[in-house]
Every structure is written in C-alpha cells, then in structure tokens.
Amino acid sequence: MKDAVEEKFLFNKTTIGFWLYLMTDCILFASLFATFAVLRHATAGGPSGSQIFEMPLVMAETIILLTSSFTCGLALVALKARKITQMVVALASTYILGAAFLTIEISEFAKLIGEGNGPAHSAFLSAFFTLVGTHGLHIFMGLLWLLVLVAMLMRRGITSKWVRQMTLFALFWHFLDLVWIFIFTVVYLMGVAK
Amino acid sequence: MTIVKYVIGFVLSLVLTMTAYWVTVNGIDKTTLYLILAVLALVQMVVQLIFFLHLGEEARPRYKLATFLLMSFMLAIIVVGSIWIMDNMNYNMANMSPNEKNDYMLMQHDKGF
Amino acid sequence: MFGRLTLDALPHDPVTIGGVAGGTVGLLIIIAAMTYFKKWGWLWREWLTSLDPKKIGVMYIVVAVIMLLRGLADVAMLRAQQAIFATSPNSPISPDLFQQVFSAHGTIMIFFVAMGVIFGLINLIVPLQIGARDVAFPLLNSISFWLFVAGMVLMNVSLGLGEFSAAGWLAYPPLSELAYSPGTGVDYWIWSLQIAGVGSLLSGVNFLITIFLMRRKGMTLMKMPIFVWSVVTSMVLVIFAFPILTATLAMLGLDRLLGMHFFTADMGGNPMMYVNLIWAWGHPEVYILVLPAFGVFSEIVPVFSRKKLFGYTSMVLALIAIMILSFTVWLHHFFTMGAGANVNAFFGIMTMVIAVPTGVKVFNWIFTMFRGRVSFQTPMLWFMAFVATFTIGGVTGVLMAVPGIDFVVHNSLFLVAHFHNMIIGGVLFGAFAAYAYWFPKFTGFRLHEGLGKVAFWCWLVGFLVAFLPLYALGFMGAVRRMDHYDASLGWQGLFIAAGVGVLIILLGVFFQVVQLAYSVWKRKELAVGPDPWGGRTLEWATSTPIAEYNFATLDAVHDRDAYWTVKKAHEKLSAQYYDIHVPNNSGYGALIGAAALGVGFALIWHIWWLAGVSMIALIALVISSTQRTDVEHVITAREVALTEKRLRGKRA
Amino acid sequence: MKSWHAVVAIILLPIIIGLAVFAYASTQHVPVFDPQGSVGAHEKDLILFTLALSTVVVIPVFLMLGIFAWRYRDTNHKAAYTPDAEGNRWLELLWWGIPIAIIAVLSVVTWVSTHALDPNKPLESTVKPLNVQVVALQWRWLFIYPEQRIASVNELVIPAGTPVNFRITADGPMSALWIPSLGTQVYAMTGMSSKLSLIADHTGTFRGSNSNISGTGYSDMYFNVKALPSRQDFDSWVKAFNDRPKHEHLDLDQYLTFAKPTHDKSVQYLHLHDVSLYDEIVSKYAHSDSGHHSSKHEGHEE
C-alpha cells in the first residue's frame, strides 16, 4: 500500500517535472520562431525559402515523424497491457522512423551547404538552419535516449523506473512532433507560399 | 488510454497536415492562406495535445494544464510582442519607403553597381 | 592543439597581473591549508557531493559572497577611475580595461551574486517552510549548483587567460560580434552565462515541483508561507524567461562561432532583435531577483511586529500580478530605439501598472506594523531601509516608465542610479535581512547585534552617498560607462562623492566580515535555541542544528502561520517515528559541472578536440547519472528517535 | 541609541543626503533642467509633473513608516496590540485604488506626451526645417547637411528657432545621439535610419554625446552643438563656408578611409560631393532586400 503511494508520487513528480521542462523548451523554440519570423525576409541577396525548400521531401519528413509519434504511443499502450513483443516492435518502428527523419533532414542540410547556401550565407539561412537544426538536435537526443531505454530494458527488464522513463520519453517524442507541426507550417508552408 | 485515441489522433493529424499542404499548393492569396495555415496548425496542436499527450486527463490539481496555459500566454506575449516591436521599428526606421527604395536601386543599377 | 590559446593570452597590464597574482596566491594558500589539515576528503564527502539542500544552499551563498567581493573590487576600480583619474590623461586603467571591468561587474553582480544568494536562500528555506524533508530532485539540485559554479569559474578564468567582454553586461551586438570584438572576451561572457543559465533553469523546475508536490499535509496553496509564494512566482519567471536567454546566447554564440548572421550588422542580421530578446529575458530577471526579497520581508515584518501579515490574499495577488506584468514591459529598456508612439506608450503604461501591486505590498508591510509590537533588531532595520530606498527607486522607475522622460535620461547615470536603487535597496538589503534572520536557525548562534548595526549604517549611508549623486549626474548629462570626461563639466565633485559612498559601503562589508568572525568566536555567548525570534513558520519547528532529514515527523498543518498556531495551542509534536529515506551523496554534480566547464572553455578557445571530448563526457555522465541504483539510504526509526533526543534535549 | 532614533534616522537620511546633492547640483550646470528647446522643455515639465504626482504615495509611505514604527515600538505598552488582525478589506481596497487612480492619470499623460514627443514625428512649425543626416562612427560623429552640401565632423551648427530634422544611422556599433539641453535621444544603428526632431529656442553652445558604449573611444564621442541666432546667420555661415576655396571634400571613396576607427577628436568641415552618401551608408547594411513591409501599421501617424 505504502509502496503504491510512493510509486504514484514518484510518477507524478517525474512526469510533471518533465512536463515543466517541456514548457521551458516551448519558450526556447518560441524565441527561435520569433527570430525566424523577423529574419525570414533578410536573405541578403541569397535564396529565399521558396527557392530552396523541396516540399515533397518535407512532406515525407512530416508524415514520417507523425507516424513515429503514433508508433511511440502504440508502444505505451502495449506497455500498459504488458505486451512486450508488440511494444518492442513499436519502439523499433519509432526508432527507425526517427532515424529516417533525421537522415532526410541531414541530407537536406548537406545539400544546401554543398550548394553554397549554408547558415553563414544570410540571416534568413542562419535562422532557418538554427530553428530546424535545434529540432533535429532534439530528435537526435531522443534517439539516443531510446537506445538507453533499450539497454536498460535488456539489463533489468521492465521495472517501475523503466516505466517512468518510457512515459517521459513518449512525452518528449510527442512534443517534438508538436513542434514540427509549427516548423512545417511556419517555415515551410508559409515559406513557399506565393 | 486506449489504442483508439491514438488512432483518432493519428488520422486527424494526417488529414490536417494534408489539408494544409493542399491549401498551400493550390495558391490562394497570402493573407487568407496564412490565416488558414495558422488555424490548421493550432487545431492539430490541440488534437495532439489531447490524443497523444493526454493533456487534461490528470487528476486535480491540474498542474500540467495550468502550466501549459500559462506558458501559452507567455509564449504569445513574447512572439506577438517581438514581431510587433520589430515590425514597428523596421517600419519607422526604414530609410526609404518601398517606392523610393525601388527608384534608388534602379539608380544604383544605372551607376553600374 | 590549443586552438586560439597561446602565451599571448596571459595578462599584460599591471592592474590585471596584480589581480591575477593576488587571486592565485589566495587560492594556493587555501589549497595548501586544505592539504596540510587533510580536509579534502571531508570537503568532498560533507559538502561538494552532498545532496542536502541545506548544504547546497550554504555553498551557493559562499560562492556568491566571494563573487560579491570581486564585484566590489571591480567597482572600487571603476569609481576610482571616474573620481580621480577621469580628468587626467595618465590613468593606470585603460579604456579597454575599464570597459572589461564594468562588464564583469554587472555580469558578476547579477548572475553570480544576486542569483547565487537567491538560489542559496531558496535551497535553505523553501524545503523547511513547506515542511518537506528534501527537494523534488536532489541530484538535479546538485547539478544546478555545479553548473552555476562552472559558469562562475569560467568567467573568472578570463582574468588570467585572455580577456573579458568589453561590451557591457548585456553585450549588445554588433559591438559584441566578431567584427568589433574579435577577442575571446565576449565568448567568455556567452559561455559562462550559458552554463550558469541552464543551471538556473533546472533549479526553477526543481523548486516548482518541490513546492507543488511536496508540501506538508494540510498546507494548501493559500496556507503557504508568503516567502514560498514569492519563490513560486520567481521560479515561474525563471522557467519562462531563462529559455529566452539560452536561445539568445546560443544565437550570438553561433554568430561568433560559425559565422552566422543573426545579429551582425551585415548580411541581413538584425541587432535590434537581440536587444528585444535579451530584454524579454532581462526584465523578468529583475523580478526573479526581487520577488524572493519581497518574500523575505513578508516573513520578517510579521515576526518582528509579533502580528500576522496584513492582507495575505492581497500579497499573493500582488505577487501573481507582478509575475504576469513583468513579462509585458520589456520594451521600456529601449524606448529610444525608434519604435512608434503607440508601441512606446503601451509598454510605458504597462510598466507603470506594475507600480500598483508593488505599492500594495509596501502598504501591507507598513500596516503589518500597525497595532503590532515592533522590535528593531537588524532584520527590521534592513526592512525599514529597504522601504525608504525602494520607494525612491520606485519613483525614479515610474519616471523612466514615461517614454518622454526616458528619452532624456536613458543610458545616463540616472538610469544607473535607478537600477542600483532597486537591486541594492531591494535584493541586497533583502538578502542581508534574511542573513541576520535565518543565520541562528542553521548555526545555533546569533550574529552579533552591535556590529551588525554598524555594518547596516555603513551600508545605508554609503548606498545613499554613492547613488543619489548619480541621479544628479544623469540630469547633468553624464552618460553611463564613461571612463573620462572634461573637468570643465563640473561632474567631478559628485563623482568624488559617489566614490566616498563606495568606500563607506566597503567599510560596511568590512564590519560584516568582522561581525561574522566575532560571532563565530563568541558563539557560546551568542548561542540561542531553535526558535530565537518567536517564529511563525515551520522552519522554526525544527531542531537546531537541523537534522539531515529536517523533520522527524510530518504532522499535518492547520493554519497559515503553521508553527505559531502550534505554539499557541501548546500542541505536542507526534513522537511516533518511522524510517526516513535520505538521498545518498553523489559526485555527479561536480563531474557534470567539470564537463560543462570543459565544453565552455574549449568553445571559447576553439579547441575542438577538447570540446568533443567534454561534450561526450557530459552526455555520458548525464546518462550514467540516471542509472544510479544506490540513490538513497534509510535512517531507521530508532536512529531518528536517538537523534531527536540528542538535538531536542539540548534545548534551552 | 534608542530604537526610534534609528527610525527617524532611516527616514531622514535619504532626505538630508538628497538635499545636499540637490544643493550642490544647483550650483552646477544641469542641462536637463535648463532646456534650450521646446522638446527638452516638455520633457522637463513631464519630470516635474510625475514627481509631483508620485509624492501622493511617497509622503504617506514615509510618514506611516515612521509613525507606525515609532508608535508601535515594542517598549510602548500603551499602544493598541491586535496580534491576530489579518487585514482590512476597506484599507486594502484603498491602496489598490489610490495607486490605480494615480496610474490612470499618469497613463493618460503618458499616452498623450508619448505621441507629442514621438521622435519619428517632425516638430510642427511654420519655419522650414533644416535636414541633418547623422552617422555615428568609431569614434566620431559625422553630420551631413545634404541641402547645404556640407559635412561636419564632431560639431553641429544649427540655427536657433528652426526645427532640425535628423536622420540618424551608424557605420559601426550601436551608438546613441544625446543632446541633453535639447531633449530626446535616439539610437544610431547600422542599416536603420532613426528619426529625431529637435529645436533650439535660444542661441548657445550645447554639449552632445554618445550614450551607448561603442568600443574603446566611446568616452571621446562628444561634440558641441552651436545654435546661431537666426536662419539668416546660418545661411550666411553656409555661404561663407562654400565661398572659401580649397576645402577638403567628402565623397564615397574618401568616406571609406574616413570611416575607419579613430580616436581623432578634431572638428572638421568638409564639402559634400556625394549627396546620396548617407543613403549609401544605410543601404550598405540593409536588413531586408525584398522591400517587404506590410502597410497595416498602427504606429504610423504621418
């Protein structure tokens, strides 16, 4: 009985604490969004968004990340039902989709830099690379976290601590998809609008 | 927390994303488009908050909901305020009106720049 | 191999060499003494790795005090230059050094003194006042502290290696960009604040969760001590304002590191956006510092008036109002940047509106004395001085909130006088009041009252003599950050007065040091019980010295002045003890701080391999810290009973 | 020392030291309180008005602080003692109300005065204004008179009684142009062209300076403003200057050398060859190259 109370407290403490961290991350992204909004026309003779964005790829990124967020949710449902195999499959999909997203993004960046449109080329490009790159960095951290979760799972199995960590990870991953909605809308869709 | 909620959230998000893309590709005037895109993004945010992040399902006191609302308020102040301020300054301290600027650029062009 | 770091980075001018030599010798003496007395193990086990917020709080304050001494030494140089050498061509302090020194002064005083004191105080008091045994995330708390230390160390390394920023405490671009500041100074500024800032952010999350979830049973939000309320509002500001600082510093850092163009003059960069963002953080930051000071006074006035706080609900509403309003006024720091009249007027009016809740708080404090029994010990003297000076600062603040007035005094010494009025009169006097008030709780003896009063009078007189002339100098046309001026302007007399004021303040600091030393020496005579002032809140219910677990039993709370009602009703604390879980020490905080220090140092000097190694170490440490298994140990009910008997038995 | 001595001392000290500073300053030249033009005069009035209004709060605060502390000192057992009083709704309403009323008054004053003093708005006058373009350099001031084809360095000559419309920019770190005797200051920034309109109502020489740190020569960035008695005097000054042969010239090429950082504080007068020099300095740093600016600005009154 006392353990259940204790566990509930621990769960609340970590999830609400992590939630607060996500709130601070929202403000961090908000600062980058505001800067992007202010600088998006400051192309200094370089290309504007509509000239460099490849919308089919961006659309693919969007769908991939959304699906990854979805499979992450499925993993959580499977965990609740203690269907471990299903959960592992869902987590693996999440990881693969996340890695695919990151690969597309990095190749997009590499292509831009290769064409001479790197972040040092104009204020607009600085803001673009930093905003999208910060999201990408979060995705990278998420993938790293997922690996740590898998390692923990293999070492000790499903413990109450693992369940807490998994819940936090799911929050993080859904949150990153949420941020992407706004990057997709503000940076890309509004960027290519004529 | 059931699988159904995730499926609903996923499908709704897909539809909203596709709609946003479709609207953008089929060009309409910019102001309307921005408005539609903003609304679609906000709706998708709410969808994911409810169906993926389960906001509002916690027991009272709802710290998550409260901090989220407060954060949204502060975020709106920072973003809207910054854009308002910067736009206003760029406007007030522009050296030339767009027309003057155009003439000036043409003049520079003639000079061989 | 060492990036930009070469032997040229060592200091050249005599003033800096003297400072560095003095600092190094001092450090060596301490190291030698520690080694001789074999105290390193003790230091590591009892302090550096401790997760006990009471000890972390003390460490914050020790760091802050050391930094206060450096900040004061800086300002002594500045005022000496302005009072004595400003009109002569041969000054020992070059303009470049002068600019580095005032940039360092501002940065140190805000980030490493004021923030350190506030976080120290929160660590010490908040868990006790809410009747908790710990904070929500003890290891995170230690990591926050060590990030604060890493930032502090990095900033002070700039004394001996390279240079510090000469671009002012907020480093406005494009001056702070590579084009105008190619050296390492601005990089030191960026990375030391970035590291310390992340620490503050994590602390904000930690203390909010602590207050949200770990309050004693029965302590509803509206029964929390008002200091705790002030911390809630302050920490909400931390978690919403500091990410803006993180993002802004990161963007400036990217400009300097990767040649980006966020805030550069050319290639489309927009320096005004930096000013906008840094103040969107910077204004709430002022309230992050001053709100807890308000909380301190709200604790002290009732205790020394032996009466309940007047208008608790009003006080809470005022705190919340200030919290929200403080996010809507940042433009008033740059009224003269050219925004239109609507924008300026809007932000001016919002700024004035903050005066309303602040005024309400002042009236409520004063009316707490009404029909009370006021005793004038040092904490109360600090309160009286706070009201007197803060009111002056408030008036000059309202003056500058009117854009039309700010137009003519902005960036003058009037502005400098105003914000020192708020920060010294508000934050620092609040910290000194808290120091005198809570010192006996943690040590078991009081600070010597007479010496404390001498220090108080030195501070008050020194402060007034140092800053009131600056108001006049502002009206006379003297701008801030100026290292020389023409004798014919008639400014020197007032600058000399301001310099004398600084000397009187230094005398006050001297008496504070003497007071502490004397009080430690005479601690037997100054010894007091666990509740020397007739306290009203739960921290006074603990034994002195406070047990590691704070409270042996967690009796429910019924009233706002939780301990006062218990004492009045002669309630007995329950004597039924249970096992208590206490966090184990952990070295992760110190290690993570060291790794962050490595990252910062490497990025400043462009030592890429070190940056990579430190970054990987940092990530590995963070991951490994989440995998700890020996998180806590148990103090058995029997041990608790014995400890309680030992600690409580001594009570006078 | 008795406790109430401390109370009296704490309240009197700021007043005494403040008065001493005031007495000393009044023997010196205080430009903000001795304005030489209508803008500065308006701003001085605003300061005095706001100060007067704030005494409505400040005096009661000081009085109550002193009286309550003295009256309810713990040695005075004759005074009433109500340890459990939690507050008083009416009193609290009073001090939510009074500051709100004061701020309401001040808000109206702020709104009106901010619009009246808006530096973006040219001064209303029947006199044809003088246009001056200002460039803040590291570390000197360049004043360009495009219509008179004169450029002056570290000194500004203007006619009294004529509004001067400044356009201000920087070719270097952010700076700020402040002439305390005349009033409003404004930042000078690369790529931006700040507006400021000032007037000198009296003849005289006023000191101006940079109020925003811009590097090691920052403290040297001051200059004199010479207000000539009338527009005729100014015109004849211009004519005399232009009639003098063999002056140094300033065009874009020379400017590039001229704009390099220098601690040279000397005053110079140059013939302006390139009338669009100022525009070229601003455009060099233009933030945006698409000419984008929406037309829905609340902030524009022109």
Side-chain angles (χ1 to χ4, degrees), chain C residues 95-96 99 102 166 172-175 180 265-266 268-272 275 305-312 314 318 336-342 344-346 349 352-353 356-357 360 362-364 366-367 369-376 381 383-385 387-388 391-392 395 398-399 402-412 456-457 460-461 464-465 468-469 472 474-477 479-484 486 489-491 493-494 568, chain D residues 1 3 6-7 9-11 13-14 17-18 21 24-25 28-33 43 46-47 50-51 54 57-58 60-62 64-65 68-70 72-74 76-77 79-88 91-92 95-96 99-100 103 106-107 110-111 113-115 117-120 138 171-174 178 180 183-187 189-190 192 194 207 209-216 218-220 222 265 285-287 298-299 301:
Chain C
D96 180 49
Q99 296 181 345
F102 69 63
Y172 278 14
L175 180 61
Y180 302 105
D266 57 348
N270 193 337
M272 294 187 299
V275 176
S305 303
R306 317 211 119 255
K307 184 166 166 280
K308 279 188 177 166
L309 181 68
F310 196 93
Y312 176 94
S314 270
T336 63
M337 199 166 265
N342 287 346
N344 277 347
F346 171 81
I349 291 169
M352 289 170 200
V353 172
V356 175
V360 167
V362 171
F363 283 116
N364 276 343
I366 292 179
F367 265 78
M369 299 195 295
F370 179 71
R371 293 187 177 165
R373 285 275 182 270
V374 188
S375 58
F376 292 94
L381 289 183
F383 164 73
M384 302 278 293
V387 174
T391 308
I392 301 171
V395 170
V398 169
L399 279 179
V402 181
I405 297 176
D406 183 74
F407 286 163
V408 77
V409 293
H410 181 69
N411 267 357
S412 73
F456 165 79
W457 289 110
L460 179 62
V461 174
L464 292 169
V465 175
L468 292 187
F475 287 137
M476 290 162 83
V479 297
R480 67 196 294 201
R481 295 165 169 171
M482 173 185 53
D483 63 301
H484 60 268
D486 262 8
L489 290 161
W491 296 346
L494 288 173
K568 221 168 57 175
Chain D
M1 189 199 266
S3 57
V7 175
I10 288 171
I11 288 163
L13 269 173
I17 297 174
V21 170
Y24 178 83
Q28 304 290 327
H29 175 52
V30 185
V32 172
F33 282 121
E43 284 162 351
L46 262 182
I47 294 176
T50 313
L51 270 178
S54 55
V57 171
V58 172
V61 164
F62 271 70
M64 286 194 306
L65 181 71
F68 288 1
W70 169 75
Y72 300 105
R73 65 194 185 277
D74 55 356
N76 179 12
H77 296 289
Y81 179 45
T82 56
D84 292 322
E86 289 199 334
N88 179 311
L91 280 174
E92 286 176 64
W95 53 74
W96 277 98
I100 287 176
I103 296 303
L106 203 51
S107 297
T110 298
W111 187 266
S113 68
T114 306
H115 282 81
L117 288 166
D118 183 5
N120 294 302
Q138 271 186 326
D171 192 357
M174 195 181 287
W178 184 32
T184 304
Q185 63 184 301
V186 161
Y187 280 112
M189 298 172 289
T190 47
M192 307 309 283
S194 323
R207 186 178 188 273
S209 64
N210 177 6
S211 67
N212 195 60
I213 178 184
S214 63
T216 53
Y218 157 69
S219 303
D220 293 329
Y222 55 85
K265 287 192 274 185
Y285 295 107
H287 288 158
E298 299 171 70
E301 280 94 355

Side-chain angles (χ1 to χ4, degrees), chain B residues 19-66:
Chain B
T19 315
Y21 185 68
W22 182 82
V23 176
T24 310
V25 177
N26 291 297
I28 36 173
D29 83 287
K30 219 167 182 170
T31 319
T32 325
L33 177 67
Y34 278 19
L35 203 70
I36 293 173
L37 287 179
V39 170
L40 286 172
L42 287 173
V43 170
Q44 194 177 347
M45 177 187 83
V46 173
V47 165
Q48 294 206 2
L49 279 173
I50 292 171
F51 292 102
F52 285 1
L53 287 142
H54 316 292
L55 191 62
E57 285 178 24
E58 60 182 331
R60 283 170 188 277
R62 293 178 172 165
Y63 290 115
K64 284 190 193 174
L65 189 63

Side-chain angles (χ1 to χ4, degrees), chain C residues 242-404:
Chain C
F242 268 77
I244 310 176
L245 178 73
T246 307
T248 312
L249 290 175
M251 289 189 272
L252 185 63
L254 287 170
D255 275 1
R256 294 181 59 88
L257 211 54
L258 301 181
M260 292 199 190
H261 292 286
F262 284 104
F263 312 125
T264 56
D266 57 348
M267 302 296 274
N270 193 337
M272 294 187 299
M273 187 58 188
Y274 177 92
V275 176
N276 172 65
L277 285 174
I278 202 82
W279 282 117
W281 158 80
H283 194 83
E285 165 69 10
V286 178
Y287 286 91
I288 288 166
L289 299 176
V290 86
L291 286 175
F294 287 173
V296 168
F297 290 123
S298 304
E299 294 299 322
I300 284 173
V301 178
V303 168
F304 289 87
S305 303
R306 317 211 119 255
K307 184 166 166 280
K308 279 188 177 166
L309 181 68
F310 196 93
Y312 176 94
T313 315
S314 270
M315 289 302 235
V316 172
L317 287 177
L319 283 171
I320 293 173
I322 294 173
M323 173 186 94
I324 290 174
L325 286 171
S326 71
F327 255 103
T328 60
V329 301
W330 75 92
L331 180 119
H332 71 217
H333 295 273
F334 48 103
F335 278 145
T336 63
M337 199 166 265
N342 287 346
V343 175
N344 277 347
F346 171 81
F347 281 95
I349 291 169
M350 291 313 284
T351 308
M352 289 170 200
V353 172
I354 293 197
V356 175
T358 315
V360 167
K361 295 190 79 72
V362 171
F363 283 116
N364 276 343
W365 287 320
I366 292 179
F367 265 78
T368 304
M369 299 195 295
F370 179 71
R371 293 187 177 165
R373 285 275 182 270
V374 188
S375 58
F376 292 94
Q377 276 126 325
T378 25
M380 202 57 189
L381 289 183
W382 287 116
F383 164 73
M384 302 278 293
F386 155 75
V387 174
T389 54
F390 202 76
T391 308
I392 301 171
V395 170
T396 56
V398 169
L399 279 179
M400 285 199 301
V402 181

Side-chain angles (χ1 to χ4, degrees), chain D residues 177-199:
Chain D
L177 180 83
W178 184 32
I179 307 161
S181 300
L182 300 186
T184 304
Q185 63 184 301
V186 161
Y187 280 112
M189 298 172 289
T190 47
M192 307 309 283
S193 184
S194 323
K195 294 171 208 157
L196 175 62
S197 196
L198 295 173
I199 187 168

Side-chain angles (χ1 to χ4, degrees), chain A residues 68-83:
Chain A
S68 161
S69 184
F70 174 62
T71 56
C72 181
L74 294 187
L76 213 55
V77 175
L79 173 65
K80 278 275 150 68
R82 288 294 187 274
K83 294 175 177 163

